[in-house]
C-alpha cells in the first residue's frame, strides 16, 4: 500500500529465455508487487530437440549414445535408465561386475554434478570466490571420469547389457587418491558453505517448500529430501549394485539444524550426498566381483537380441537431481515403438511456483537455481505460448542479488 | 597474430545456449574456472551481448531459439566474431534428423570459428578463442 492509501498496481518481470544465470533457456514471468513476487509462471520448451522422436527411428545400441546427449551433466543416469528398460524387455542379464562399474561411474557423476551446483549456487549469491573454488575441486572428479571412461562429459560407457569398459586393478589407486582428496576437503567445504554468515543469511528461510507441498507436487531428489521426504530410488528400489551397498536417503537434519525445506537445507543435502557418494564408491571398490562387464562382447549380437524383443518396461534411476524415469516399448523391430523420458526437473519445476511466491526479486536467482534445474533433460514437448516479452538481463538480476548480500552484511 | 593490439582491449564473450544438452555449456564454464583461467588474458563472459566481442553459441538451435539468436547477434556491436562450440551447433551432430531444429548455427547467423567435439575439451575451446582473436584483429585492421 502506498502512502495515499491506494493499492500499488502489480507489474510483470519477465526473465529469460537467455539468461546466463540459468545456463539454459527457460522463460519466467513474475507478477511483482513492489519487491515481492505475487505470482510466478514459466514456459519451458526452448531446449526441445525431439530426442524421443529421433530415438524411435534408431536402434537401442544407437540410442544409448543419444540418451547421453539428453543432458550433458547427468548423461549416465539417462543412459542407465534406458539400458535397464531394454535389458528387461530383451531379458538380457548384466554381469555382476558391470553393475559395480555402473554404480561407480554414476556416483562420480553425482559428485561432479553436486559440486557444479554448489559453485553455481555460490555464484548466484555473489560469492564468486567459492564458485571458483568449487569448480577447481570438481576438476578432480572430471579427471578421474576421463581416466576411467576416456571422456570428460558424455562418457558413453554404458551399453545395453553392461558397460563398454572395465576398470582394472591398476586404476584403483587413482580412484582411491581422488576419494582421499574429497575426504580431506569435506570439512573445509562444510565450513565454507554451512558456517558462512553470508550464505546463512541469504539461504535460511528463503524459498521454503513444505513437506506437504513436496509430496503433493511429487518432487524428487535433493529438492524433496530437503523438505524432509525420506525418498531415494537407490534406497527404495535398488538398481545396479545399490542392493549390496549401504545407502540411506540424506535428510537435512544430518547437520543437526532440523528440517525447514529452505535453500540452506538443499545445500546441506547436496553437500552430504557428496560425502555419501565417496563412501559408496569405496564400498564398490572393496566388494567388486571379478568377471565380465558386458553381456555379449559382439554388438551385433546385442542388437539381434534387441530386435527380437517384444514387450514394455519402465525403469527409474536416482540421478543427481532426483528420479529419472524411462518407459520403452519394443515390438520385434530394431526401433522402439515408444520411448518416454521423464527427467527429474520435470517433477521439480512446479515447486518453483510455491517457492518464489512471497519472496523478493533479489532472491529469485538462488531459488530458481536451488532445485538444480536442467531444462535440456526436461523439455520433452514444446509448449506454445504467445506474449510480449522483454529481457531483464542477468547483470541486473545479479546486481540485485549482490546488493542484497551487501545490505545484509552491513 | 600480433597479440598486443587485441590484448589492449581484452576479449569479452557472451554465451548463448540455443537448446544444447549442457555438455558444452559446462565445458565453457570449466574453461573459465581456475584450472584453465583464461581471465589472466582478459577473456571473460559478460551478461549482455552489447558488451561482447565474441558470441559463443552452443546447441543445435531449436525453432524457439532461432529468432532470439538472431536478435542477440544483431545487438552485438561491430567488429564481432561468432564461435560455435560443439558438434551439434556445427553440423547438427547427433540431432541431425530432428524436426525441431533451425540449425546448425551457420544457417541462422554467420559463423567465423567452429570448435568441434561432443563436447570439445576446454583446451579446444581455448584454441577456438585464439582463432577468434586472430579474426577479430583482421576485422579491426580492415575497419
Amino acid at each position: 500500500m502506498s502512502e495515499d492509501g491506494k493499492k500499488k498496481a502489480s507489474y510483470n518481470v519477465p526473465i529469460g529465455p537467455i539468461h546466463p544465470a540459468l545456463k539454459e533457456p527457460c522463460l519466467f514471468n513474475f507478477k511483482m508487487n513492489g519487491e515481492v513476487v505475487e505470482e510466478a509462471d514459466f514456459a519451458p520448451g526452448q531446449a526441445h530437440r525431439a530426442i524421443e522422436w529421433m530415438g524411435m527411428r534408431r536402434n537401442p545400441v544407437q540410442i544409448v549414445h543419444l540418451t547421453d546427449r539428453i543432458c550433458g551433466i547427468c548423461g549416465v543416469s539417462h543412459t542407465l535408465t534406458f539400458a535397464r528398460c531394454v535389458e528387461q524387455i530383451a531379458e538380457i542379464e548384466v554381469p555382476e561386475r558391470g553393475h559395480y562399474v555402473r554404480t561407480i561411474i554414476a556416483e562420480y557423476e553425482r559428485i561432479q554434478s553436486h559440486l557444479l551446483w554448489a559453485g553455481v549456487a555460490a555464484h548466484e549469491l555473489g560469492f564468486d570466490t567459492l564458485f571458483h573454488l568449487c569448480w577447481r575441486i570438481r576438476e578432480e572428479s572430471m579427471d578421474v571420469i576421463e581416466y576411467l571412461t576416456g571422456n570428460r562429459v558424455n562418457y558413453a560407457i554404458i551399453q545395453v547389457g553392461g558397460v563398454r569398459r572395465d576398470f582394472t586393478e591398476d586404476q584403483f589407486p587413482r580412484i582411491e587418491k581422488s576419494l582421499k582428496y574429497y575426504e580431506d576437503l569435506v570439512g573445509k567445504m562444510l565450513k565454507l558453505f554451512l558456517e558462512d554468515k553470508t550464505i546463512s543469511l541469504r539461504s535460511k528461510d528463503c524459498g521454503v517448500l513444505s513437506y506437504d507441498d513436496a509430496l503433493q507436487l511429487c518432487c524428487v531428489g535433493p529438492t524433496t529430501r530437503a523438505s524432509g521426504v525420506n525418498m531415494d530410488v537407490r534406497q527404495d528400489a535398488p538398481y545396479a549394485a545399490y542392493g549390496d551397498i549401504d545407502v540411506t536417503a540424506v535428510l537435512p537434519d544430518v547437520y543437526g539444524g532440523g528440517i525447514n525445506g529452505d535453500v540452506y537445507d538443499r545445500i546441506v543435502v547436496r553437500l552430504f550426498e557428496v560425502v555419501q557418494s565417496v563412501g559408496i564408491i569405496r564400498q564398490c571398490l572393496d566388494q567388486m566381483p571379478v568377471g565380465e562387464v558386458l553381456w555379449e562382447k559382439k554388438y551385433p549380437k546385442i542388437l539381434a537380441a534387441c530386435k527380437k524383443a517384444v514387450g514394455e518396461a519402465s525403469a527409474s534411476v536416482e540421478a543427481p537431481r532426483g528420479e529419472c524415469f524411462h518407459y520403452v516399448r519394443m515390438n520385434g523391430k530394431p526401433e522402439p515403438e515408444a520411448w518416454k523420458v521423464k527427467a527429474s526437473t520435470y517433477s521439480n519445476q512446479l515447486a518453483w511456483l510455491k517457492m518464489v511466491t512471497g519472496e523478493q526479486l533479489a532472491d529469485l536467482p538462488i531459488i530458481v537455481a536451488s532445485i538444480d534445474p536442467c531444462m535440456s533433460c526436461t523439455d520433452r514437448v514444446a509448449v506454445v505460448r504467445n506474449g510480449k516479452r522483454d529481457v531483464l538481463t542477468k547483470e541486473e538480476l545479479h546486481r540485485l542479488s549482490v546488493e542484497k548480500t551487501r545490505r545484509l552484511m552491513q | 597474430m600480433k597479440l598486443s593490439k587485441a590484448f589492449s582491449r581484452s576479449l569479452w564473450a557472451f554465451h548463448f545456449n540455443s537448446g544444447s544438452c549442457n555438455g558444452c555449456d559446462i565445458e565453457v564454464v570449466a574453461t573459465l574456472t581456475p584450472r584453465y583461467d583464461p581471465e589472466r588474458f582478459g577473456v571473460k563472459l559478460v551478461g549482455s551481448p552489447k558488451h561482447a566481442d565474441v558470441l559463443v553459441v552452443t546447441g543445435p538451435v531449436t525453432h524457439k531459439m532461432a529468432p532470439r539468436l538472431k536478435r542477440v547477434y544483431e545487438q552485438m556491436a561491430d567488429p564481432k566474431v561468432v564461435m560455435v562450440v560443439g558438434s551439434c551447433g556445427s553440423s547438427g551432430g547427433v540431432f541431425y534428423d530432428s524436426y525441431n531444429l533451425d540449425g546448425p548455427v551457420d544457417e541462422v547467423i554467420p559463423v567465423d570459428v567452429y570448435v568441434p567435439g561432443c563436447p570439445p575439451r576446454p583446451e579446444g575451446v581455448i584454441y577456438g578463442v585464439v582463432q577468434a582473436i586472430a579474426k577479430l584483429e583482421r576485422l579491426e585492421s580492415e575497419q
Side-chain angles (χ1 to χ4, degrees), chain A residues 115-234:
Chain A
L115 287 174
L116 179 154
W117 176 84
V120 172
H123 174 69
E124 302 298 3
L125 294 171
F127 199 165
D128 269 5
T129 322
L130 195 50
F131 161 62
H132 285 289
L133 180 72
C134 284
W135 278 69
R136 199 187 73 199
I137 294 168
R138 175 177 172 269
E139 284 294 327
E140 174 73 12
S141 57
M142 299 303 280
D143 284 347
V144 176
I145 289 169
E146 190 184 359
Y147 178 66
L148 295 173
T149 70
N151 291 334
R152 281 168 57 89
V153 181
N154 293 347
Y155 326 121
I157 188 165
I158 289 175
Q159 181 57 275
V160 175
V163 289
R164 294 174 61 221
R165 274 168 193 251
D166 193 5
F167 299 164
T168 51
E169 286 289 332
D170 58 322
Q171 288 177 320
F172 286 8
R174 180 70 188 86
I175 301 177
E176 187 56 44
K177 193 183 145 208
S178 77
L179 299 181
K180 183 85 180 31
Y181 175 81
Y182 284 118
E183 276 169 350
D184 291 347
L185 270 170
V186 164
K188 187 179 174 186
M189 294 305 286
L190 292 181
K191 189 164 178 248
L192 279 172
F193 270 99
L194 303 179
E195 289 173 28
D196 185 87
K197 196 177 152 200
T198 326
I199 291 181
S200 297
L201 280 170
R202 284 301 305 277
S203 63
K204 276 191 176 164
D205 295 322
C206 167
V208 176
L209 180 72
S210 69
Y211 178 86
D212 292 339
D213 283 341
L215 277 183
Q216 275 171 8
L217 292 167
C218 301
C219 295
V220 293
T223 311
T224 194
R225 290 197 281 277
S227 296
V229 183
N230 191 334
M231 193 195 84
D232 189 321
V233 184
R234 294 175 292 171

Side-chain angles (χ1 to χ4, degrees), chain B residues 96-116:
Chain B
Y96 71 98
D97 57 347
S98 167
Y99 62 76
N100 202 38
L101 301 185
D102 275 8
V105 178
D106 54 11
E107 289 187 8
V108 184
I109 55 169
V111 176
D112 303 291
V113 182
Y114 297 89
V115 184

Side-chain angles (χ1 to χ4, degrees), chain A residues 101-385:
Chain A
V101 173
R102 285 176 169 191
T103 309
I104 291 173
I105 207 70
E107 289 308 317
Y108 265 113
E109 181 175 78
R110 196 179 318 279
I111 293 176
Q112 65 93 352
S113 176
H114 281 350
L115 287 174
L116 179 154
W117 176 84
V120 172
H123 174 69
E124 302 298 3
L125 294 171
F127 199 165
D128 269 5
T129 322
L130 195 50
F131 161 62
H132 285 289
L133 180 72
C134 284
W135 278 69
R136 199 187 73 199
I137 294 168
R138 175 177 172 269
E139 284 294 327
E140 174 73 12
S141 57
M142 299 303 280
D143 284 347
V144 176
I145 289 169
E146 190 184 359
Y147 178 66
L148 295 173
T149 70
N151 291 334
R152 281 168 57 89
V153 181
N154 293 347
Y155 326 121
I157 188 165
I158 289 175
Q159 181 57 275
V160 175
V163 289
R164 294 174 61 221
R165 274 168 193 251
D166 193 5
F167 299 164
T168 51
E169 286 289 332
D170 58 322
Q171 288 177 320
F172 286 8
R174 180 70 188 86
I175 301 177
E176 187 56 44
K177 193 183 145 208
S178 77
L179 299 181
K180 183 85 180 31
Y181 175 81
Y182 284 118
E183 276 169 350
D184 291 347
L185 270 170
V186 164
K188 187 179 174 186
M189 294 305 286
L190 292 181
K191 189 164 178 248
L192 279 172
F193 270 99
L194 303 179
E195 289 173 28
D196 185 87
K197 196 177 152 200
T198 326
I199 291 181
S200 297
L201 280 170
R202 284 301 305 277
S203 63
K204 276 191 176 164
D205 295 322
C206 167
V208 176
L209 180 72
S210 69
Y211 178 86
D212 292 339
D213 283 341
L215 277 183
Q216 275 171 8
L217 292 167
C218 301
C219 295
V220 293
T223 311
T224 194
R225 290 197 281 277
S227 296
V229 183
N230 191 334
M231 193 195 84
D232 189 321
V233 184
R234 294 175 292 171
Q235 163 197 290
D236 304 334
Y239 54 94
Y242 290 108
D244 307 343
I245 284 160
D246 180 26
V247 193
T248 46
V250 176
L251 297 178
D253 51 2
V254 66
Y255 193 61
I259 297 169
N260 306 309
D262 52 11
V263 175
Y264 186 81
D265 280 359
R266 279 168 224 139
I267 300 176
V268 173
V269 168
R270 288 204 176 84
L271 288 180
F272 278 91
E273 281 189 10
V274 173
V275 182
Q276 187 190 37
S277 293
V278 170
I280 292 174
I281 296 171
R282 184 153 281 151
Q283 285 183 52
C284 283
L285 292 180
D286 290 343
Q287 300 176 17
M288 212 155 160
V290 287
E292 290 295 316
V293 289
L294 193 56
W295 173 69
E296 171 58 59
K297 276 195 180 134
K298 296 193 178 81
Y299 290 179
K301 283 194 178 169
I302 300 177
L303 195 55
C306 296
K307 275 181 190 167
K308 276 185 269 171
V310 178
E312 57 181 359
S314 66
S316 305
V317 160
E318 183 76 18
R321 287 158 188 75
E323 184 193 24
C324 164
F325 173 90
H326 283 221
Y327 166 81
V328 178
R329 189 165 70 230
M330 306 279 290
N331 204 7
K333 286 188 187 135
E335 306 86 20
E337 194 180 44
W339 176 29
K340 180 71 200 156
V341 179
K342 192 209 67 108
S344 27
T345 305
Y346 185 79
S347 309
N348 283 338
Q349 59 189 1
L350 281 173
W352 273 332
L353 308 185
K354 290 273 180 200
M355 288 177 195
V356 300
T357 308
E359 296 289 349
Q360 289 192 350
L361 191 59
D363 287 327
L364 292 184
I366 182 62
I367 296 176
V368 169
S370 73
I371 72 157
D372 201 357
C374 182
M375 304 320 293
S376 64
C377 284
T378 307
D379 289 349
R380 298 271 72 82
V381 178
V383 180
V384 181
R385 198 169 292 184

Side-chain angles (χ1 to χ4, degrees), chain B residues 19 24 30 34 37 47 51 59 61 68-69 87 102 126:
Chain B
C24 296
D37 194 19
H51 301 161
V61 194
R68 281 138 187 172
L69 177 59
S87 294
D102 275 8
I126 293 170

Side-chain angles (χ1 to χ4, degrees), chain A residues 46 48 72 146 152 383 389, chain B residues 21 27 62 68 100 121:
Chain A
Q46 270 88 357
H48 176 62
E146 190 184 359
R152 281 168 57 89
V383 180
R389 48 185 71 104
Chain B
C21 77
E27 288 298 78
T62 60
R68 281 138 187 172
N100 202 38
R121 294 182 55 85

